[in-house]
Amino acid sequence: MSSSRTTEIEAAVPAPRLFKAAILDWHNLQAPEVGYGKIIGAAPVEGDIGGVGSIRQFHFASGGPFALIKERLDFLDVEKCEARSTDPT
């Protein structure tokens, strides 16, 4: 099965700053504050944190459709604020 997701949001901060926080510095964020109680934790699983090929895992609060997801960062273009990831399994 293949799927795609594109996310565009309006924010009070410039896109490069938001991209850096969400994609490059995700491991430094306080997940419960950012995820509004839905994300309860995040951890690197493999590779260079935030680098192409790295795998990260997100844990979600109970009551959601799933307990966790893993994703591998496959593409990163910081200048265009673009990233692509896939399921590493």
Side-chain angles (χ1 to χ4, degrees), residues 33-72:
E33 293 174 17
V34 175
Y36 303 104
K38 296 183 186 336
I39 299 173
I40 58 173
V45 175
E46 182 179 309
D48 179 30
I49 295 175
V52 172
S54 63
I55 298 174
R56 59 188 181 175
Q57 181 170 293
F58 294 91
H59 298 271
F60 294 89
S62 61
F66 38 81
L68 64 91
I69 62 168
K70 283 185 183 179
E71 65 180 19
R72 178 182 55 240

Side-chain angles (χ1 to χ4, degrees), residues 6-45:
T6 299
T7 305
E8 292 186 29
I9 59 172
E10 289 187 34
V13 297
R17 183 174 173 197
L18 184 59
F19 181 82
K20 182 178 185 289
I23 303 299
L24 304 177
D25 292 335
W26 63 272
H27 55 285
N28 292 324
L29 299 174
Q30 298 297 318
E33 293 174 17
V34 175
Y36 303 104
K38 296 183 186 336
I39 299 173
I40 58 173
V45 175

Side-chain angles (χ1 to χ4, degrees), residues 68-85:
L68 64 91
I69 62 168
K70 283 185 183 179
E71 65 180 19
R72 178 182 55 240
L73 184 59
D74 296 320
F75 172 81
L76 184 64
D77 186 333
V78 176
E79 288 183 20
K80 292 182 181 179
C81 296
E82 292 181 8
R84 291 189 193 98
S85 59

